[in-house]
Amino acid sequence: IGDSAIRSLMARLYDPDAQLRMNVAETLGMIKSPRAVHPLVTLLRDEHPYVRCNAAWSLGEIGDSEAAQPLIELFKDEVPLVRTFAIDALQKIKSPDAIEPLINALRDEDQEVRSMSAVALFVITGLNYGEDYEQWSQWWQEYQYYYRYSR
């Protein structure tokens, strides 16, 4: 897909129709254009939760680490499904910046969020403490310097 088609798609991210925004966000994720990162990050604040989900999914597909912090912000979203899409995207990006927020998400009220956080932590770190918040916290206290500064 050429530049003009990608520009045309990105312009549609601001359409009043939520279904169209959802579809365009998903399409940009399938194309994996790094140019779509900033417009998709903007979409993470969309009023419609499914648009936020598709924007998060697409950012994960693109895999740009610049999206990590905005995706982490989605951990505050009131909709558990949005939080799970953010976790999935961060798992794909494998950003060390996500480790501490993922550990904290092990205390989320939603079981799916907790479960997906444990899987994402395994994918990012290679360790498997499951959903054990205390074990992950203890490990993080010991190894956070390595993940924050030496990678």
Side-chain angles (χ1 to χ4, degrees), residues 34-92:
R35 291 188 15 203
V37 170
H38 292 290
L40 287 167
V41 164
T42 301
L43 226 55
L44 294 176
R45 294 184 297 273
D46 194 273
E47 65 185 348
H48 196 283
Y50 292 119
V51 174
R52 296 193 301 273
C53 287
N54 280 16
W57 178 84
S58 292
L59 289 166
E61 291 300 303
I62 295 168
D64 191 317
S65 62
E66 283 187 44
Q69 195 56 48
L71 287 164
I72 290 167
E73 290 298 316
L74 280 185
F75 285 22
K76 299 173 190 167
D77 199 284
E78 72 234 15
V79 179
L81 184 64
V82 174
R83 297 194 301 271
T84 63
F85 270 77
I87 291 165
D88 182 62
L90 287 164
Q91 174 181 314
K92 292 173 186 170

Side-chain angles (χ1 to χ4, degrees), residues 5-146:
I6 292 172
R7 277 195 305 275
S8 176
L9 280 169
M10 288 191 303
R12 302 301 290 240
L13 288 173
Y14 308 103
D15 194 274
D17 182 0
Q19 183 67 47
L20 180 61
R21 293 192 309 275
M22 272 177 29
N23 293 342
V24 170
E26 184 177 7
T27 301
L28 288 168
M30 288 188 265
I31 294 169
K32 298 183 182 187
S33 171
R35 291 188 15 203
V37 170
H38 292 290
L40 287 167
V41 164
T42 301
L43 226 55
L44 294 176
R45 294 184 297 273
D46 194 273
E47 65 185 348
H48 196 283
Y50 292 119
V51 174
R52 296 193 301 273
C53 287
N54 280 16
W57 178 84
S58 292
L59 289 166
E61 291 300 303
I62 295 168
D64 191 317
S65 62
E66 283 187 44
Q69 195 56 48
L71 287 164
I72 290 167
E73 290 298 316
L74 280 185
F75 285 22
K76 299 173 190 167
D77 199 284
E78 72 234 15
V79 179
L81 184 64
V82 174
R83 297 194 301 271
T84 63
F85 270 77
I87 291 165
D88 182 62
L90 287 164
Q91 174 181 314
K92 292 173 186 170
I93 294 171
K94 296 183 181 177
S95 171
D97 294 337
I99 294 172
E100 187 171 18
L102 285 166
I103 292 171
N104 292 330
L106 293 171
R107 290 187 156 176
D108 194 276
E109 62 193 34
D110 185 80
Q111 175 58 46
E112 187 69 17
V113 170
R114 293 191 305 270
S115 178
M116 287 190 68
S117 295
V119 170
L121 284 164
F122 171 73
V123 169
I124 294 170
T125 68
L127 301 171
N128 189 3
Y129 298 127
E131 294 180 31
D132 188 331
Y133 172 82
E134 296 303 325
Q135 229 177 349
W136 277 110
S137 294
Q138 184 178 3
W139 170 82
W140 184 242
Q141 287 300 319
E142 191 171 336
Y143 290 99
Q144 66 180 304
Y145 181 83
Y146 171 74

